[in-house]
Amino acid sequence: MQLTFDADIEEFRQEFAAFLDAELPAEADAAERARSSADIPEWARAWQRKQFDAGWLLPGNPPEFGGRNAGIVEQFVHLQELSARRIYHSYNPQGLGIIAASLLTFGTPEQKQRWAVPILRAEITASLGMSEPGAGSDLAGLRTTARLDGDHFVVNGQKVWTSGAHHADVLLTFVRTDPEAPKHKGISVVLIPTDTPGVTRRPFGSIASRDDHDFNEVFFDEVRVPAENLVGKLNDGWTVANGSLGHERTLLWLSFADRLDDLLRDFRPNTVLDNDRYASLVMDSYALRLLGSKALARAARGEQDTPSLSVLKLLGSEAVQRATEHAFSAAGGDGLVHPATTAPYCHMDLEQFYASWFERYARSFGFTIAGGTSEIQRNVIAERVLGMPRR
């Protein structure tokens, strides 16, 4: 396998690199940090709008939605360049990569203009209301209800782990609209503005967050939502759910590969990691990039290979978790100490530079949960890759 790109792809990369060289905000203008994954500082809003207007926000989108109709390989190169420079293109990643993308796939023309474009232009931010206290990995077990009352839905229930909800303007919320239907068949999706009466958001911390809170529990008490906020067809929310997570997973493996490479660079000066463990992690990194490149090539040929995304997600998330676990173990008591290091303002993993090895290890558990747990990925691989029976 020769991992090189054609001349036109490299030309695309150079054009994007020139845009970054010319337009990236100055460090002095970008000192304010985001407080959650749905909180965008003013300088970052301006930066996201600049990318949107130039067609560099999401190159695979049409120009009217912040892109330039780029192919999958060009989209990969775009992410590669952002990653190499440690640059965020949005401080509301779920809004950009899941919610706006879902609206562009399943939304009406009016919804695209009213909701998707403002999210893409960082004029509003969005969070994803999927998980519930009794329905995390099993989304089809959700119990939040939406009852149609005239031209409104009346929503009651609870969500949890809703990242950034306390700063979000709107929630893409999965609700049960037909309690009599089989559990996969009675789900719908509605957009709920967070200032709607009856919506309560309560942020909470985690073992991996010292200061800023991102997780929320969200309560809906007789929340009236216009029926026109229904995304997709009534009782067909399972289709939207699969599309939403598909948007999240498409090139997710690249972020895991970059995280793993960052960790490997950090090991030698900061920990005493035995050669066998270090070598195993290096092999994980190579395997992830080679398998990811193979999947990318298939996608470029127009071949559908959804199960391979489960393999990549499982390998990448668990490799990062193993890496941080080994580092924390090797560091001993020093692994609990916060390093006094300074990170570039635009670094994609800014928090890790202010975190102990323990915090980085604790945070890694989120990678094996978000976007589909490792257990679910193993089920997908068993059934759709290995051909094993469901029972």
Side-chain angles (χ1 to χ4, degrees):
M1 180 183 294
Q2 186 174 352
L3 298 179
T4 58
F5 296 99
D6 294 338
D8 59 332
I9 300 297
E10 290 299 338
E11 183 179 347
F12 177 90
R13 184 200 301 275
Q14 292 305 316
E15 184 181 355
F16 181 47
F19 168 81
L20 294 176
D21 290 339
E23 304 295 345
L24 192 66
E27 184 172 353
D29 297 332
E32 184 182 359
R33 291 182 59 196
R35 296 169 295 169
S36 80
S37 60
D39 174 56
I40 308 181
E42 285 305 315
W43 70 267
R45 290 180 186 269
W47 166 235
Q48 186 168 323
R49 284 193 291 271
K50 186 173 291 187
Q51 295 172 84
F52 178 95
D53 292 339
W56 288 119
L57 183 65
L58 292 171
N61 286 359
E64 63 269 27
F65 298 120
R68 48 186 62 202
N69 292 315
I72 187 66
V73 178
E74 292 167 316
Q75 294 172 53
F76 174 79
V77 166
H78 172 263
L79 290 178
Q80 261 195 331
E81 199 65 27
L82 289 172
S83 175
R85 296 173 182 240
R86 303 296 185 265
I87 296 170
Y88 278 123
H89 61 316
S90 173
Y91 280 75
N92 181 212
Q94 70 273 15
L96 201 68
I98 301 177
I99 298 159
S102 296
L103 288 169
L104 295 184
T105 302
F106 300 103
T108 65
E110 192 275 338
Q111 288 173 340
K112 294 175 184 179
Q113 293 302 318
R114 182 181 176 187
W115 301 105
V117 171
I119 292 170
L120 293 167
R121 289 182 53 80
E123 293 164 355
I124 63 174
T125 61
S127 290
L128 182 65
M130 270 191 171
S131 296
E132 298 185 4
S137 297
D138 181 21
L139 175 65
L142 68 84
R143 298 179 181 178
T144 295
T145 62
R147 182 185 77 257
L148 194 58
D149 180 21
D151 58 357
H152 281 71
F153 288 103
V154 181
V155 181
N156 287 279
Q158 178 186 358
K159 298 293 178 180
V160 74
W161 313 113
T162 315
S163 298
H166 56 312
H167 291 130
D169 298 296
V170 64
L171 303 173
L172 186 71
T173 310
F174 288 74
V175 295
R176 186 160 300 285
T177 44
D178 186 353
E180 303 302 322
K183 66 179 187 177
H184 289 82
K185 301 293 185 180
I187 297 172
S188 300
V189 185
V190 292
L191 285 162
I192 303 180
T194 55
D195 61 358
T196 306
V199 176
T200 302
R201 296 163 285 169
R202 295 179 182 170
F204 60 90
S206 72
I207 195 171
S209 63
R210 301 198 314 274
D211 301 313
D212 300 336
H213 292 166
D214 196 39
F215 292 140
N216 281 254
E217 51 184 357
V218 182
F219 299 90
F220 305 98
D221 182 13
E222 293 292 299
V223 176
R224 295 186 64 83
V225 182
E228 65 189 27
N229 287 17
L230 175 71
V231 179
K233 298 178 181 178
L234 185 68
N235 298 324
D236 193 30
W238 194 250
T239 300
V240 180
N242 287 329
S244 297
L245 293 179
H247 292 307
E248 185 180 27
R249 294 172 183 163
T250 302
L251 291 173
L252 184 62
W253 64 268
L254 178 60
S255 68
F256 289 132
D258 289 331
R259 286 180 183 275
L260 189 55
D261 288 349
D262 280 345
L263 290 166
L264 289 169
R265 281 192 293 269
D266 280 354
F267 283 155
R268 285 308 188 193
N270 294 308
T271 66
V272 182
L273 197 65
D274 67 74
N275 288 333
D276 286 346
R277 285 183 174 182
Y278 187 82
S280 294
L281 295 174
V282 170
M283 287 189 286
D284 283 344
S285 176
Y286 275 99
L288 184 59
R289 288 192 179 276
L290 289 170
L291 288 171
S293 297
K294 188 176 180 181
L296 178 68
R298 284 196 295 266
R301 295 193 295 267
E303 300 174 11
Q304 297 295 323
D305 189 15
T306 302
S308 70
L309 300 182
S310 291
V311 174
L312 287 164
K313 203 275 183 179
L314 179 66
L315 171 61
S317 61
E318 295 199 348
V320 170
Q321 189 173 94
R322 282 193 299 273
T324 53
E325 180 183 16
H326 292 339
F328 177 42
S329 176
D334 291 340
L336 299 173
V337 178
H338 305 302
T341 55
T342 302
Y345 76 94
C346 59
H347 198 289
M348 294 177 67
D349 297 319
L350 186 63
E351 288 186 346
Q352 81 175 22
F353 284 83
Y354 300 100
S356 66
W357 278 112
F358 165 72
E359 287 175 305
R360 293 163 77 170
Y361 171 53
R363 190 177 297 121
S364 73
F365 282 85
F367 303 146
T368 61
I369 297 172
T373 66
S374 288
E375 292 78 10
I376 293 297
Q377 305 307 327
R378 283 185 166 85
N379 284 345
V380 172
I381 293 166
E383 295 169 16
R384 300 181 62 184
V385 179
L386 301 179
M388 298 174 68
R390 290 182 62 87
R391 293 184 182 275

